[in-house]
């Protein structure tokens, strides 16, 4: 009994010390980083050392912000609970968020892109999209970015909540679920452990890794964002990405295989030692020789079987690497590959500058110079990065990684920069146009006053000289024409001033969370003036509610949405078609219904099929890629509409046109 009391007292002392140490660590100048992942190359522990991309990135951020990073490992559900608790000791965690949905937390800029796909047992049919999940049992990790994405959406499948993606894979093996929707990095690690499971769809959800924290740590998250942007500007972020996510980096998952090989080597060594002892014993005892040899042979066969099994597992891991890895000799013969390497022999596979790629000359050049080559390649609409490395013995390895998504993101970033520059240029041009417009308005006012005085003098002078003409016209007619011309100049100058003011308002920078009461009718009128050049050949009809609906929002952002929708409608119109009623190409309507204001844009264009409608708001999806479409317009519009607590409904039929309805919470009426 006394021993038990002493043990309890010692336990209380240790617990108190740990709590005190935790509190002191929390009060010190440190950031507590909560970690749950065991997925290389993001976060994992090797020989007791925490490492990975997220850990190294946050540690570098801590150095820039003057904070020490303390790592705490917990389960995913515990971390989600902690980060929503303002009193939690956990400051920051790293999670994946869908690209179109923000978590209800303070979060950083995107760290690294990823996606989620559907996984099924071998032999099951390929899943084309969400409609193929109808009626199926689908495993969803509770609280993960897949869960966040589908929350509030219509679900035609039977959802089965799991705590880990690995739990979902185990249920799939047991036949208790039909599909697992899992994040890419985790699934890539698990698939070699479950060879009967395969990837059975294209990416269904795009997401990005973010650091997230409780909103009380908004100031801390602002420092993290500043440091993250500093790392990106300096190029250090790119070096970290190349270090942890470069071609072949997923091999870090082979640590466990190496440990198994080491254990097996130790086991084989022990078997060999036992065999030597048995051999020595047999030499001393001839009667037991036969039995000892048989036992040793049996043990060796088991060891060979274990080595063979481990070799197959090792090959499975290599085959599971997502990038193409191919080994060649000097003659250009393929010695080993984890794909069919047909891309390297395709005549359409060329360098990004248009130069053709020739396999054998490239191999010989790398082997002769003993220098590696890294190049960006293109085939059709796909971008690839090719790495060619000589590895000795007249052999070279070629690594292929698809970089289409990174290229699209880079193009989107360049396009956004160009648009930002165009907005600044537009504001400057608008300011410069206002100056001569003001001079015109001021001067024409003086001319009007002068014409009123000159008309009296002209009457008197005409009596003295009946044959007097002004610009070839009889004086009365000439003065009338001058008055009409003066009035036209005033109207034109006013129109220029009105368009310039609209352009300046449109180019103003957006200030988030400072929405004001605005007129929905005025948004329509300003957008029509800014798109006057696009719609001048079309018959555009407006039916605006009176009084105008008043909503709370940002006029500049809503102008951006409506201008994009009007331009899309213009692209859909075929002028020689005979499907229009009274030549009404585009109709814009506003009305009030119950507690909502509605804005409807109807066009009699070509319409869209069901497949296009399902993907129309996805980033980078466009049906006008050949004519310069980026696929970002409706994606940005969708984000702006959600920020205004509004929703968008799209109805379209091939050959009959499209109807887009925007519904806003009603503020008041005027």
């Amino acid at each position: 009994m006394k021993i038990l009391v002493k043990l309890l007292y010692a336990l209380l002392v240790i617990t108190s010390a740990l709590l005190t140490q935790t509190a002191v660590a929390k009060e010190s100048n440190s950031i507590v980083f909560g970690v749950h992942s065991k997925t290389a190359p993001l976060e994992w522990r090797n020989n007791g050392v925490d490492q990975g991309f997220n850990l190294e990135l946050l540690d570098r951020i801590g150095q820039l912000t003057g904070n020490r990073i303390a790592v705490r490992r917990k389960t995913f559900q515990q971390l989600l609970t902690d980060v929503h608790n303002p009193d939690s000791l956990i400051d920051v965690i790293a999670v994946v968020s869908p690209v179109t949905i923000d978590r209800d937390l303070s979060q950083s800029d995107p760290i690294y892109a990823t996606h989620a796909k559907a996984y099924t047992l071998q032999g099951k049919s390929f899943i084309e999209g969400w409609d193929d999940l109808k009626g199926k049992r689908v495993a969803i990790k509770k609280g993960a970015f897949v869960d966040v994405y589908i929350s509030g959406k219509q679900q035609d499948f039977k959802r089965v909540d799991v705590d880990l993606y690995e739990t979902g894979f185990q249920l799939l093996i047991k036949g208790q679920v039909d599909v697992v929707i899992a994040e890419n990095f985790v699934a890539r690690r698990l698939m070699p452990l479950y060879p009967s499971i395969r990837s059975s769809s294209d990416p269904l959800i795009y997401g990005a890794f973010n650091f997230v924290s409780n909103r009380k740590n908004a100031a801390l998250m602002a420092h993290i964002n500043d440091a993250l942007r500093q790392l990106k500007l300096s190029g250090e972020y790119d070096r970290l990405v190349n270090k942890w996510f470069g071609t072949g980096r997923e091999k870090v998952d082979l640590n466990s295989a190496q440990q198994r090989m080491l254990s097996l080597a130790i086991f084989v060594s022990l078997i060999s030692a036992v065999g030597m002892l048995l051999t020595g014993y047999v030499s001393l005892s001839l009667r037991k020789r036969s039995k000892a040899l048989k036992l040793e042979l049996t043990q060796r066969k088991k060891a060979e079987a274990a080595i063979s099994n481990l070799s197959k597992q090792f090959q499975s891991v290599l085959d599971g690497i997502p990038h193409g890895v191919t080994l060649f000799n000097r003659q250009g013969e393929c010695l080993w590959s984890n794909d069919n390497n047909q891309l390297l022999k395709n005549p359409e596979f060329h360098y990004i500058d248009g130069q053709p790629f020739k396999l054998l000359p490239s191999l010989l050049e790398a082997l002769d110079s003993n220098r590696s080559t890294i190049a960006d390649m293109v085939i059709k609409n796909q971008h690839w990065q090719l790495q060619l490395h000589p590895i000795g013995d007249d052999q070279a390895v070629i690594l292929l990684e698809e970089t289409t998504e990174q290229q699209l993101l880079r193009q989107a970033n360049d396009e956004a920069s160009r648009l930002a520059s165009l907005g600044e240029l537009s504001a400057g041009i608008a300011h410069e146009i206002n100056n001569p417009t003001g001079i015109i308005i001021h001067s024409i006012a003086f001319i009007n006053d002068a014409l009123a005085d000159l008309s009296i003098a002209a009457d008197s002078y005409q009596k003295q000289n009946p044959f007097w003409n002004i610009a070839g016209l009889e004086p009365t007619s000439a003065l009338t024409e001058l008055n009409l011309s003066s009035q036209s100049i005033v109207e034109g100058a006013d129109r220029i001033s009105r368009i310039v003011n609209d352009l300046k308002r449109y180019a103003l920078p957006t200030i988030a969370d400072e929405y004001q009461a605005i007129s929905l009718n005025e948004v329509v009128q300003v957008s029509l003036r800014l798109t006057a050049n696009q719609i001048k050949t079309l018959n555009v009809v407006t039916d605006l509610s009176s009084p105008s609906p008043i909503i709370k929002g940002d006029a500049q952002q809503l102008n951006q949405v409506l201008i994009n929708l009007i331009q899309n409608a213009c692209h859909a119109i075929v002028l020689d078609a005979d499907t229009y009623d009274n030549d009404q190409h585009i109709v814009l309507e506003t009305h009030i219904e119950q507690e909502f204001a509605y804005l409807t844009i109807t066009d009699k264009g070509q319409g869209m099929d069901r497949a296009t409608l399902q993907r129309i708001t996805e980033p980078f999806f466009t049906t006008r890629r050949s004519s310069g479409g980026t696929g970002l317009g409706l994606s940005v519009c969708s984000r702006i509409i959600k920020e205004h607590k509004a929703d968008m409904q799209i109805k379209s039929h091939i050959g009959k046109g499209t109807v887009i309805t925007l519904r806003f919470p009603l503020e008041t009426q005027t």
Side-chain angles (χ1 to χ4, degrees):
M1 185 65 180
K2 292 182 178 180
I3 295 176
L4 180 60
V5 171
K6 290 181 179 180
L7 289 175
L8 289 175
Y9 177 78
L11 181 60
L12 288 173
V13 170
I14 293 171
T15 303
S16 176
L18 289 175
L19 290 175
T20 302
Q21 182 181 358
T22 303
V24 170
K26 182 63 179 177
E27 292 173 0
S28 64
N29 194 22
S30 66
I31 299 174
V32 180
F33 183 32
V35 174
H36 73 92
S37 177
K38 298 179 181 177
T39 303
L42 295 172
E43 304 157 358
W44 88 105
R45 178 175 291 175
N46 185 26
N47 295 327
V49 179
D50 290 308
Q51 52 186 288
F53 174 78
N54 285 341
L55 291 161
E56 187 167 347
L57 177 62
L58 192 60
D59 185 68
R60 189 68 185 91
I61 290 172
Q63 294 175 16
L64 292 176
T65 58
N67 291 288
R68 184 178 64 85
I69 305 302
V71 178
R72 298 290 184 271
R73 288 193 173 270
K74 295 187 177 183
T75 66
F76 180 72
Q77 300 301 329
Q78 288 175 331
L79 289 176
L80 285 180
T81 301
D82 282 350
V83 82
H84 282 88
N85 180 11
D87 299 323
S88 170
L89 297 178
I90 299 296
D91 293 320
V92 180
I93 66 173
V95 296
V96 183
S97 295
V99 295
T100 57
I101 300 174
D102 289 336
R103 291 180 179 268
D104 188 22
L105 292 167
S106 180
Q107 64 183 49
S108 71
D109 294 339
I111 299 173
Y112 197 79
T114 185
H115 59 266
K117 297 192 295 186
Y119 295 85
T120 64
L121 294 175
Q122 296 281 358
K124 299 296 182 180
S125 59
F126 192 82
I127 294 174
E128 300 288 347
W130 290 97
D131 289 344
D132 291 344
L133 299 177
K134 186 175 183 180
K136 291 183 168 58
R137 299 168 298 174
V138 181
I140 304 292
K141 181 180 177 181
K142 188 65 177 175
F145 91 114
V146 179
D147 184 16
V148 173
Y149 178 84
I150 67 174
S151 294
K153 298 181 182 292
Q154 181 178 354
Q155 302 173 15
D156 296 329
F157 53 83
K158 182 179 179 182
R159 171 174 172 161
V160 179
D161 289 337
V162 296
D163 57 340
L164 298 169
Y165 289 123
E166 187 168 7
T167 305
F169 274 43
Q170 292 170 354
L171 294 178
L172 186 61
I173 293 292
K174 297 177 182 178
Q176 297 178 9
V177 296
D178 304 308
V179 180
V180 178
I181 300 181
E183 187 270 334
N184 177 49
F185 282 110
V186 179
R188 187 182 300 172
R189 174 180 63 86
L190 293 175
M191 287 184 67
L193 305 178
Y194 300 90
S196 61
I197 295 177
R198 66 156 188 166
S199 168
S200 60
S201 78
D202 293 328
L204 298 175
I205 308 170
Y206 289 94
F209 281 92
N210 301 81
F211 293 127
V212 302
S213 180
N214 194 277
R215 289 200 177 276
K216 75 178 182 67
N217 293 328
L220 171 62
M221 190 55 67
H223 291 315
I224 290 176
N225 269 333
D226 290 341
L228 183 59
R229 293 163 191 163
Q230 182 178 346
L231 291 174
K232 290 181 179 179
L233 290 174
S234 67
E236 187 169 354
Y237 170 84
D238 293 332
R239 288 192 293 273
L240 285 177
V241 170
N242 186 60
K243 173 183 177 181
W244 293 106
F245 296 96
T247 303
R249 181 56 57 188
E250 297 303 323
K251 292 180 181 177
V252 76
D253 274 340
L254 297 178
N255 286 334
S256 59
Q258 293 172 352
Q259 293 174 356
R260 290 197 298 270
M261 291 182 65
L262 178 60
S263 299
L264 182 60
I266 294 173
F267 175 75
V268 172
S269 299
L270 291 175
I271 294 297
S272 300
V274 171
M276 292 177 62
L277 291 175
L278 289 175
T279 302
Y281 178 77
V282 168
S283 65
L284 299 175
S285 180
L286 295 177
R287 292 181 302 169
K288 298 181 178 180
R289 182 178 180 82
S290 177
K291 182 179 179 180
L293 290 175
K294 184 181 294 186
L295 177 60
E296 183 180 359
L297 180 60
T298 302
Q299 291 173 337
R300 287 183 178 275
K301 287 182 177 180
K302 289 181 180 180
E304 290 174 358
I307 293 174
S308 176
N309 184 48
L310 183 60
S311 176
K312 292 179 181 178
Q313 292 178 352
F314 184 80
Q315 182 65 39
S316 176
V317 171
L318 290 176
D319 291 339
I321 295 175
H323 310 313
V325 181
T326 307
L327 185 65
F328 291 96
N329 61 14
R330 176 175 285 274
Q331 289 72 36
E333 298 173 344
C334 176
L335 304 179
W336 179 88
S337 177
N338 66 347
D339 64 3
N340 55 18
N341 62 74
Q342 294 300 315
L343 196 62
L344 299 173
K345 302 176 182 177
N346 194 317
E348 297 182 7
F349 189 61
H350 58 83
Y351 294 97
I352 197 168
D353 60 0
Q355 294 295 323
F357 173 75
K358 297 181 180 179
L359 178 60
L360 187 57
S362 300
L363 287 171
L364 293 175
E365 181 181 356
L367 291 172
D368 293 339
S369 64
N370 196 30
R371 294 173 58 186
S372 299
T373 300
I374 300 177
D376 292 324
M377 314 296 293
V378 177
I379 180 171
K380 297 181 180 178
N381 293 326
Q382 292 182 331
H383 292 260
W384 295 79
Q385 184 186 73
L386 180 144
Q387 298 186 34
L388 196 160
H389 304 284
I391 58 175
D393 295 331
D394 276 346
Q395 295 179 359
V397 63
I398 292 182
L399 311 176
L400 279 177
E401 176 185 4
E402 186 177 2
T403 59
T404 304
E405 184 176 349
Q406 293 91 320
Q407 186 71 17
L408 291 174
L409 288 171
R410 190 179 300 114
Q411 292 174 357
N413 182 63
D414 294 342
E415 182 68 17
S417 299
R418 287 196 295 271
L419 291 176
S421 300
L422 181 61
E424 295 177 3
L425 180 62
S426 299
I429 293 174
H431 177 73
E432 294 300 325
I433 293 175
N434 260 341
N435 293 332
T437 303
I439 295 173
I440 292 172
I441 294 175
H442 182 269
S443 300
I444 203 63
F446 174 77
I447 293 173
N448 285 334
D449 295 339
L451 286 175
D453 296 336
L454 289 173
S455 62
I456 300 173
D459 292 340
S460 175
Y461 184 74
Q462 187 179 15
K463 292 177 182 179
Q464 299 176 15
N465 186 3
F467 300 102
W468 176 55
N469 288 334
I470 299 176
L473 296 176
E474 190 269 330
T476 302
S477 299
L479 289 173
T480 301
E481 289 295 328
L482 283 172
N483 285 322
L484 291 175
S485 298
S486 176
Q487 184 179 356
S488 298
I489 292 173
V490 171
E491 291 176 354
D494 287 340
R495 185 183 177 196
I496 291 173
S497 180
R498 199 164 52 247
I499 292 174
V500 167
N501 287 334
D502 291 342
L503 189 59
K504 287 174 68 177
R505 266 202 317 269
Y506 181 74
L508 285 174
T510 302
I511 301 177
D513 299 329
E514 293 188 4
Y515 292 158
Q516 299 177 351
I518 58 175
S519 167
L520 192 56
N521 288 357
E522 184 177 352
V523 171
V524 175
Q525 293 164 352
V526 171
S527 299
L528 288 174
R529 287 198 293 269
L530 291 173
T531 56
N533 187 56
Q534 289 95 328
I535 64 176
K536 62 185 179 182
T537 59
L538 303 175
N539 183 16
V540 179
V541 179
T542 59
D543 183 8
L544 305 181
S545 173
S546 180
S548 172
I550 301 299
I551 63 175
K552 192 171 183 180
D554 185 280
Q556 173 199 347
Q557 288 187 332
L558 294 180
N559 284 336
Q560 179 181 353
V561 171
L562 190 53
I563 288 171
N564 190 278
L565 296 179
I566 292 173
Q567 289 175 338
N568 285 350
C570 292
H571 290 308
I573 298 295
V574 180
L575 289 178
D576 58 356
D578 55 0
T579 60
Y580 308 124
D581 298 332
N582 300 322
D583 293 330
Q584 293 183 359
H585 299 144
I586 301 175
V587 180
L588 290 94
E589 303 173 85
T590 62
H591 71 276
I592 299 172
E593 185 175 327
Q594 295 179 354
E595 300 298 326
F596 295 95
Y598 290 83
L599 169 58
T600 303
I601 304 96
T602 305
D603 70 72
K604 299 293 184 178
Q606 299 175 354
M608 296 175 284
D609 57 22
R610 181 182 178 188
T612 302
L613 276 176
Q614 289 177 339
R615 301 188 59 194
I616 194 169
T617 58
E618 290 183 9
F620 309 117
F621 175 79
T622 178
T623 57
R624 298 188 298 106
R625 183 78 65 189
S626 60
S627 60
T630 64
L632 288 173
L634 280 178
S635 176
V636 173
C637 289
S638 177
R639 175 184 59 78
I640 293 174
I641 290 169
K642 290 178 181 178
E643 289 175 353
H644 282 74
K645 296 182 174 59
D647 55 57
M648 176 171 62
Q649 183 181 30
I650 305 176
K651 296 181 180 178
S652 186
H653 299 280
I654 295 294
K656 295 183 179 180
T658 301
V659 179
I660 300 179
T661 302
L662 307 180
R663 187 182 72 167
F664 299 88
L666 190 63
E667 181 73 6
T668 183
Q669 300 183 24
T670 61

